Amino acid sequence: MAMFTREDARQLQSTLQDAIVKCSERCLYQSAKWTAELSTSLSVRIGDSDAETDPDSPMEDVGPPPKVFPVVVSANADPGEARLEAYEIHKYLLAKSYFDCREFERCAAVFLPSTVPKGSLSVSSPNVSTRSPSKSARGKSKDPKATAGGPATGSIPPPNILPRLSQKSLFLALYAKYMSGEKRKDEESEMILGPADRGSAVNKELVEISRSLEGWFATRRPDQSSGGWLEYLYGIVLAKGKNEDDAKRWLIRSVHLFPYNWGTWLELNDLLGSIEELHRIVPELPQNVMTLVFHLYANQELYQSTEPIHHQLNELQKVFPQNHFLMTQRALLYYHSKDFDEAESIFSDILHSDPHRIDSLDHYSNILYVMSARPKLAFVAQLATATDKFRPETCCVVGNYYSLKSEHEKAVQYFRRALTLDRNFLSAWTLMGHEYVEMKNTHAAIESYRRAVDVNRKDYRAWYGLGQTYEVLEMHLYALFYYQRASSLRPYDPKMWQAVGSCYDKIDRPVQSIKAYKRALVASTYYDVGSSFGSGTTSDPPSGAMDPEIVYQIALMYEKLGELEEAAEYMEMTLAQEEGPVGEDEDGEEVRGAGTGVTNTTSKARMWLARWEYTHGAYGRAMELANELCQDGVEVEEAKALIRDVRARTEGSGAAGAS
């Protein structure tokens, strides 16, 4: 990022403040809040630093106070739109007051007739070239208007059933209809995971909104300007209709027209399923600070905790040093890298500077759960409950607390409460699935994980949970499919590849199992392994050592293939993990890293090697390994039996030689 000057800060703050007003005018309150926090965290605060006198100083009467203009509505640079907005101002203020009181139907009725078109929701987008041609148009050349954003020649554009309104009033009315449909959908939904809950409730207003927007876009004048708000709403409608490619195009068009609506970027992020998809759309995005923030956020959501992403975050924090959203992204990057101490420290700093902030507390509670920090988790749960007990984040924090206490029924109760407040709250679905696994309720666990995947197909924990649950049911082909989905999202997590290798072993495919286990060994060098699934108690190897369990499993797979020499080499490698890897210090002297010490796995490998040496006549080596097993206190009886066999063989061979 180039040098950020004071003039740049002044211009950016003015732009952000204008965006706050525009988002608030359209009742996009979460976007307005996010933008306001971004504006407040600027490294150069124009309003503060320009004041030559402290407001509390007795010299404040020296000069006139700065002039503050009352803001009712923002100005519109388009003369036609400005005239319509001035003409509708009394209706607009009435409709907005209805929206603020959550009377969405009344808000929409101020501007729109109440007639609802009949028919199903269109899954095709107007003004895009992906519309399939009619029979009469097939074989003919494409109309250039179709690729330029206008309706194709030969197709009948939908009728514009809307009255003549400003774009701001039209957006408010249609958005109120959308919110009304979402509210009614929640009211018609059954109890979470109840007998009648199929997750099939839909927003019935999408049909009318889609038809209205299609008609408006089809009849829009070529020279008519747009603020990007209706494109944003149409992108949401297309995404709800599972028309993701067209939804991406309209959302990208929206961020080009107005890049400071954070809600548009969030919707665009939800449509990305892989890092490749992100790389494909990045060249199509505008070049500004919002694209940088989006790129950072999308990479974090795809678990890309790489050095370039951390560098990009450092550059953004030079401009917005105290922004809690960016601090949260850094904490989550550390969380994905299994650096729980650093992630916890950042979340603790955020909580200290803003103790009433509920956003992302569910992630903080996950970190505390993995760390088994029960007292701190109890404090966070109490603080969140005192701030707002009816936020889904609060319910997840309390649910994690009860889960850590092994009170799984109470934990499920709070996760259900979170989903009652917001059925699309991802953390609650995933965490509830974990609890049902602990309660041995596999049917409910599978349904919870499936709902989590429906909300966000990038959640590797839900895919991994599905694999675990089907593995409990001994449906290993199903488990393999879900583990592979999880490993595609987390290719550097050895736990994912270890699960894939285990499934291949159980369906008797040792060659593929060996490949998966070797991928797990490679992945374990990416970062120190921790647990992000289940309890925080892990038996992971220290940094620098390979996981002896993975190496041992590779050895067993080679044994199953009949390649005993290769199996013996991997058994020796398993044994070597007790003492750790050998390296050199700065003086060139040999040093040995931390090892795992004696474990059940290394003892099994020692027993296997002792038998291997015995069958090949290396009685001295076999005796040595068996004696070590007796000292370790593992496999003692088998080791003693092997020692007796070795002595009998050596004594027998000695007697034969004497005769």
Side-chain angles (χ1 to χ4, degrees):
M1 187 177 289
M3 182 67 67
F4 191 70
T5 65
R6 185 175 181 79
E7 185 57 36
D8 293 333
R10 185 188 301 276
Q11 183 177 356
L12 180 57
Q13 187 176 57
S14 175
T15 303
L16 291 173
Q17 289 173 347
D18 181 63
I20 296 165
V21 175
K22 288 182 176 178
C23 289
S24 298
E25 286 175 354
R26 290 158 180 84
C27 301
L28 301 174
Y29 297 122
Q30 291 297 324
S31 294
K33 180 184 80 169
W34 186 91
T35 311
E37 290 178 349
L38 195 69
S39 173
T40 306
S41 63
L42 267 170
S43 57
V44 181
R45 294 281 303 282
I46 303 302
D48 295 343
S49 57
D50 283 358
E52 297 180 358
T53 308
D54 186 352
D56 296 328
S57 168
M59 297 296 291
E60 62 180 352
D61 296 331
V62 170
K67 190 172 183 180
V68 179
F69 297 95
V71 177
V72 179
V73 291
S74 60
N76 196 314
D78 185 289
E81 286 291 317
R83 280 194 298 270
L84 284 173
E85 288 178 11
Y87 178 75
E88 299 162 354
I89 184 63
H90 60 291
K91 285 187 176 182
Y92 164 77
L93 293 175
L94 175 64
K96 188 175 185 305
S97 66
Y98 287 151
F99 193 105
D100 292 342
C101 294
R102 298 185 61 81
E103 298 183 38
F104 303 122
E105 289 287 356
R106 293 186 75 188
C107 173
V110 172
F111 292 111
L112 298 180
S114 57
T115 56
V116 180
K118 305 298 181 184
S120 60
L121 175 62
S122 171
V123 296
S124 63
S125 164
N127 307 343
V128 293
S129 57
T130 57
R131 178 186 290 270
S132 58
S134 61
K135 290 183 179 179
S136 61
R138 288 175 185 165
K140 298 181 180 179
S141 61
K142 292 183 179 179
D143 190 336
K145 289 184 178 179
T147 58
T153 303
S155 62
I156 302 175
N160 186 3
I161 59 174
L162 300 170
R164 188 165 183 243
L165 296 170
S166 66
Q167 293 182 38
K168 179 162 65 176
S169 298
L170 179 59
F171 175 86
L172 181 61
L174 292 177
Y175 185 58
K177 277 196 170 293
Y178 171 78
M179 292 300 296
S180 173
E182 290 293 300
K183 180 182 176 184
R184 192 175 298 113
K185 182 181 76 171
D186 290 340
E187 291 169 352
E188 293 173 355
S189 299
E190 299 292 335
M191 183 181 71
I192 302 294
L193 294 188
D197 181 24
R198 297 289 180 268
S200 56
V202 296
N203 185 338
K204 297 178 182 178
E205 297 292 341
L206 293 179
V207 175
E208 181 178 0
I209 298 170
S210 177
R211 294 282 184 85
S212 299
L213 287 171
E214 285 177 11
W216 190 87
F217 285 122
T219 58
R220 180 175 57 176
R221 300 190 315 273
D223 60 339
Q224 188 174 359
S225 64
S226 176
W229 305 96
L230 293 173
E231 288 82 356
Y232 160 62
L233 183 57
Y234 193 51
I236 294 177
V237 172
L238 289 171
K240 291 284 185 181
K242 306 300 182 184
N243 190 0
E244 297 188 356
D245 290 337
D246 280 348
K248 287 178 189 175
R249 293 189 187 95
W250 284 92
L251 291 171
I252 291 172
R253 189 178 302 181
S254 175
V255 297
H256 274 279
L257 293 168
F258 187 77
Y260 295 97
N261 177 12
W262 181 240
T264 313
W265 297 102
L266 290 179
E267 292 291 336
L268 188 57
N269 173 73
D270 290 343
L271 297 173
L272 301 177
S274 65
I275 192 66
E276 291 77 19
E277 291 183 37
L278 174 61
H279 291 160
R280 279 197 295 269
I281 71 164
V282 164
E284 303 176 36
L285 300 176
Q287 299 301 310
N288 53 42
V289 69
M290 294 297 293
T291 300
L292 293 176
V293 177
F294 166 74
H295 188 262
L296 166 69
Y297 176 73
N299 274 280
Q300 181 274 123
E301 288 287 297
L302 291 165
Y303 315 109
Q304 301 297 309
S305 183
T306 60
E307 193 63 34
I309 299 303
H310 279 280
H311 176 72
Q312 184 177 341
L313 180 54
N314 291 337
E315 294 298 312
L316 282 169
Q317 287 194 306
K318 291 178 183 178
V319 181
F320 308 102
Q322 298 301 319
N323 184 256
H324 289 162
F325 173 81
L326 295 178
M327 293 172 70
T328 300
Q329 299 312 299
R330 186 178 293 281
L332 292 176
L333 288 173
Y334 283 125
Y335 175 42
H336 299 327
S337 299
K338 313 299 182 185
D339 190 348
F340 300 121
D341 291 329
E342 192 66 34
E344 192 279 328
S345 175
I346 295 173
F347 270 118
S348 182
D349 292 341
I350 295 172
L351 196 64
H352 184 266
S353 61
D354 189 356
H356 302 296
R357 186 178 190 269
I358 303 294
D359 298 342
S360 300
L361 272 191
D362 53 314
H363 296 300
Y364 187 26
S365 71
N366 290 341
I367 294 169
L368 295 175
Y369 179 92
V370 171
M371 297 174 69
S372 298
R374 184 170 157 184
K376 188 167 287 189
L377 182 55
F379 168 74
V380 174
Q382 186 178 21
L383 185 64
T385 303
T387 302
D388 188 351
K389 65 168 63 176
F390 296 111
R391 281 277 295 271
E393 294 92 339
T394 300
C395 297
C396 283
V397 173
V398 178
N400 268 335
Y401 171 71
Y402 282 118
S403 179
L404 194 57
K405 291 178 66 181
S406 297
E407 297 183 26
H408 302 298
E409 291 81 3
K410 272 193 173 181
V412 166
Q413 178 184 343
Y414 275 93
F415 294 139
R416 281 177 177 269
R417 187 176 297 177
L419 292 166
T420 303
L421 295 167
D422 182 0
R423 281 185 173 255
N424 291 325
F425 197 71
L426 174 65
S427 291
W429 283 118
T430 306
L431 294 172
M432 191 162 69
H434 297 351
E435 296 309 305
Y436 280 127
V437 169
E438 294 289 338
M439 295 163 64
K440 305 296 188 289
N441 188 343
T442 54
H443 175 76
I446 287 171
E447 187 61 26
S448 298
Y449 290 134
R450 286 192 187 282
R451 298 288 185 89
V453 169
D454 288 341
V455 172
N456 183 0
R457 60 181 180 269
K458 294 176 287 190
D459 184 17
Y460 78 95
R461 296 171 303 171
W463 292 111
Y464 184 84
L466 280 168
Q468 263 199 337
T469 312
Y470 277 109
E471 196 170 18
V472 169
L473 296 173
E474 297 186 356
M475 301 172 70
H476 300 300
L477 283 173
Y478 282 85
L480 176 61
F481 170 77
Y482 293 119
Y483 282 144
Q484 286 174 329
R485 291 297 298 267
S487 62
S488 68
L489 289 166
R490 294 277 290 178
Y492 298 110
D493 194 332
K495 190 184 294 291
M496 307 297 119
W497 291 108
Q498 198 170 352
V500 171
S502 174
C503 276
Y504 274 127
D505 177 23
K506 288 171 182 174
I507 62 175
D508 199 24
R509 293 170 67 179
V511 174
Q512 288 83 358
S513 180
I514 289 171
K515 290 179 181 178
Y517 282 128
K518 287 183 177 180
R519 283 291 299 268
L521 286 180
V522 173
S524 63
T525 63
Y526 184 67
Y527 47 63
D528 291 341
V529 186
S531 173
S532 62
F533 191 96
S535 66
T537 57
T538 63
S539 56
D540 299 312
S543 178
M546 289 186 288
D547 189 341
E549 179 62 32
I550 300 176
V551 183
Y552 179 71
Q553 291 300 326
I554 295 175
L556 292 182
M557 291 304 101
Y558 277 117
E559 184 184 24
K560 185 178 286 190
L561 288 170
E563 300 180 20
L564 299 181
E565 295 286 346
E566 196 75 20
E569 290 184 15
Y570 275 92
M571 288 296 180
E572 292 283 4
M573 198 183 300
T574 304
L575 212 57
Q577 304 313 307
E578 289 183 345
E579 298 182 358
V582 178
E584 293 184 354
D585 60 10
E586 296 178 354
D587 299 328
E589 296 183 4
E590 183 179 294
V591 293
R592 187 173 289 276
T596 63
V598 177
T599 66
N600 285 333
T601 301
T602 57
S603 296
K604 290 177 186 176
R606 184 176 277 108
M607 190 70 235
W608 191 96
L609 284 169
R611 291 197 188 101
W612 165 262
E613 299 290 357
Y614 174 75
T615 57
H616 285 73
Y619 299 129
R621 170 74 168 151
M623 179 71 78
E624 179 187 347
L625 291 169
N627 284 326
E628 289 176 0
L629 280 168
C630 293
Q631 294 172 5
D632 297 339
V634 183
E635 308 276 356
V636 176
E637 294 303 321
E638 292 186 32
K640 286 181 178 178
L642 184 61
I643 290 172
R644 288 193 294 268
D645 290 343
V646 170
R647 285 175 178 170
R649 284 295 182 93
T650 53
E651 289 172 0
S653 61
S659 62

